């Protein structure tokens, strides 16, 4: 896997700013970053990230966005 450790941009990210990137670490963990803060990364396991993606797709996390918007 020669490209396994290269940052990949989400297909849902626009071409300019606010892009989300992901890559596999050598130890099997996943790293995420965004274009606004490329030196800050979030490291997680593929299992935990998969659970997050499933919850987001199912709408389970929607109430968090509503709560945050109401508190602003």
């Amino acid at each position: 896997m020669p490209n396994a450790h290269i940052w990949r941009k989400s297909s849902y990210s626009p071409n300019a700013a606010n892009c989300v990137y992901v890559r596999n670490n050598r130890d099997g963990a996943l790293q995420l970053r965004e274009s606004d803060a490329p030196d800050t990364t979030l490291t997680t396991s593929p299992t935990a990230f998969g659970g997050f993606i499933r919850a987001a797709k199912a709408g389970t996390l929607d109430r968090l966005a509503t709560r945050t918007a109401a508190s602003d």
Side-chain angles (χ1 to χ4, degrees):
M1 284 195 296
N3 295 330
H5 309 297
I6 294 175
W7 289 105
R8 292 171 286 160
K9 185 175 79 164
S10 167
S11 61
Y12 291 98
S13 292
N15 290 331
N18 301 322
C19 297
V20 176
Y21 294 86
V22 65
R23 75 175 176 185
N24 294 6
N25 254 355
R26 295 189 190 324
D27 63 1
L30 294 177
Q31 285 188 300
L32 294 101
R33 70 176 187 187
E34 69 170 305
S35 57
D36 293 345
D39 293 331
T40 302
T41 60
L42 171 69
T43 303
T44 188
S45 71
T47 302
F49 188 61
F52 172 78
I53 295 298
R54 285 188 297 280
K57 285 182 176 181
T60 305
L61 306 174
D62 291 352
R63 63 181 171 78
L64 298 175
T66 303
R67 189 180 315 156
T68 301
S71 64
D72 288 343

